[in-house]
Amino acid sequence: MKANKLSELSIEELESKKKTILNATIGIGSVMVIACCALFYFAITSKNFALIAVAIGSSMTLMPSFISIGQINNEIKSRKSKYL
C-alpha cells in the first residue's frame, strides 16, 4: 500500500488535480444550492418541515471535496517551503 498518493505527484499535477476538483465542487455546489432553495420552498408551501433537514444535511456531501482540496493545498505548501 502506498502511504500518500499525493506525495508521488509533481507540483504541476497537484495544481491540475486541485483545479479539477475545485471546478467539480463549484459545479456540484451550484446545483445543490438550487436544489436546496427548491427544497426550502417546497417545505414551506407544503408545511413539511422535514425537507429543511434534508436540504441542510445534503450540504455534507461536499465535505470530502473540501477535505481533498485542503490536503492538496497542504502538500503544495510543504513542497514550496522545502525549496525556499
Side-chain angles (χ1 to χ4, degrees):
M1 293 283 309
K2 297 176 183 173
N4 190 358
K5 187 177 177 184
L6 294 177
S7 63
E8 298 174 357
L9 299 176
S10 68
I11 291 179
E12 292 82 19
E13 291 172 329
L14 287 171
E15 292 286 347
S16 174
K17 185 173 182 141
K18 175 184 166 187
K19 187 176 180 182
T20 302
I21 293 172
L22 189 61
N23 288 337
T25 303
I26 290 171
I28 293 170
S30 61
V31 171
M32 287 185 65
V33 166
I34 293 169
C36 287
C37 290
L39 281 173
F40 277 117
Y41 173 76
F42 290 132
I44 292 171
T45 57
S46 68
K47 295 185 170 72
N48 184 3
F49 299 111
L51 292 176
I52 294 175
V54 172
I56 293 171
S58 66
S59 64
M60 296 303 290
T61 60
L62 293 176
M63 288 304 286
S65 298
F66 291 131
I67 291 170
S68 178
I69 291 170
Q71 289 174 342
I72 292 172
N73 283 336
N74 288 338
E75 183 69 27
I76 291 171
K77 284 180 188 177
S78 70
R79 289 196 191 177
K80 287 185 178 180
S81 67
K82 287 180 185 177
Y83 296 121
L84 293 178

